[in-house]
Structures are given as C-alpha cells and as structure tokens.
Amino acid sequence: MSDVKNYDPDCLFCNIIRGDIPSTKVYEDDACFAFRDIAPQAPTHILVIPKTHIASADELNADNAALAAHILAVIPQIAAAEGLTGGYRIVSNVGGDAGQTVRHLHFHILGGKRLEDQMA
Ligand code: 5GP
Ligand code: ZN
C-alpha cells in the first residue's frame, strides 16, 4: 500500500501501486514500483513505474526527469536480482503508434532469452 502523486483513479498502474489491484511485486522504494507483467513476452518481463502518475515518456521534462533517471538507476539492480547476466532490453512505449496501452509511464525489462533483433 503506497501513496501515488498525481493519483488518477482511472489509471490501472496507479491502482496497482496502491495495492488496490494485485500484482507480483519485485521491487519497491519511495519513488518507484516494479512488478511482473501479466502477459509476459519473455521469460523475464517486468514493468518499472514511477509512484507519480505521468502519462508517458512524452510527459518528461526538466521538473520530473529525475524520476526517470532514478528508474534507470534501479533497473540494473532488478536485472541483477533476476539473474539477467546475458543482457536484457528496456522498452518504454509512447502513444498509439508504439502500442502504449496503459497511460502511466512504464519501462519494460525483457530478458531471460535471446531477444528478437528486430525492434519495430
Ligand atoms: P504497454 O503496451 O502500455 O507498453 O504495456 C502495458 C503492459 O501492461 C502490457 O505488457 C500488459 O501485459 C501489462 N498489463 C496490463 N494490465 C496488467 C495488469 O493488470 N497487471 C499486470 N501485472 N500487467 C498488466
Ligand atoms: Zn497512473
């Protein structure tokens, strides 16, 4: 159970952070939350999200970019804890053309196998 800044009651990930919707947590600190994707596209598929409702990476700016930097600093810790020694991919979809389905900034961590070379 955690507070969300700029909480959007209609946002799935805001409600996951609060514990109102269950998830399989893998990491949490004051600023971010990480959990397993419900429909994994790789043996390891984790979502890392800020505890601030930001719609996407397109909403990042000088005032909130520290949150994204924090997440990028946490991801290697999560990857190490998951044993992703062979490498992994970090993805953040932005908007319709990228197929973003949840409008709360999230970084996918994908790994545990040789990933596709093609990204798009
Ligand atoms: P996007 O397509 O927006 O980049 O990624 C959203 C991700 O959220 C998808 O990979 C999807 O499987 C995942 N997802 C959607 N609903 C839930 C849920 O209720 N719980 C969890 N753990 N993941 C979800
Ligand atoms: Zn949200």
Side-chain angles (χ1 to χ4, degrees):
M1 182 77 72
S2 245
D3 279 344
V4 184
K5 290 181 188 151
N6 302 326
Y7 172 61
D8 175 351
D10 296 325
C11 172
L12 173 66
F13 288 175
C14 282
N15 287 303
I16 281 180
I17 294 165
R18 285 161 56 106
D20 294 340
I21 292 173
S23 69
T24 305
K25 180 172 80 172
V26 298
Y27 176 88
E28 181 174 17
D29 63 27
D30 287 347
C32 73
F33 188 88
F35 56 104
R36 296 197 189 280
D37 196 290
I38 203 167
Q41 295 186 33
T44 300
H45 188 169
I46 290 167
L47 300 170
V48 193
I49 64 179
K51 288 185 173 177
T52 300
H53 180 81
I54 296 169
S56 78
D58 194 52
E59 307 287 316
L60 291 170
N61 55 51
D63 292 332
N64 63 16
L67 275 172
H70 174 76
I71 287 173
L72 290 174
V74 160
I75 284 174
Q77 298 177 41
I78 295 173
E82 292 288 321
L84 300 179
T85 53
Y88 54 93
R89 184 167 290 156
I90 302 167
V91 174
S92 189
N93 292 318
V94 179
D97 278 0
Q100 184 183 7
T101 57
V102 181
R103 297 279 294 159
H104 181 127
L105 174 64
H106 50 281
F107 294 86
H108 298 255
I109 303 173
L110 295 150
K113 69 168 187 180
R114 178 68 172 90
L115 300 169
E116 303 288 332
D117 288 331
Q118 181 124 2
M119 284 195 293

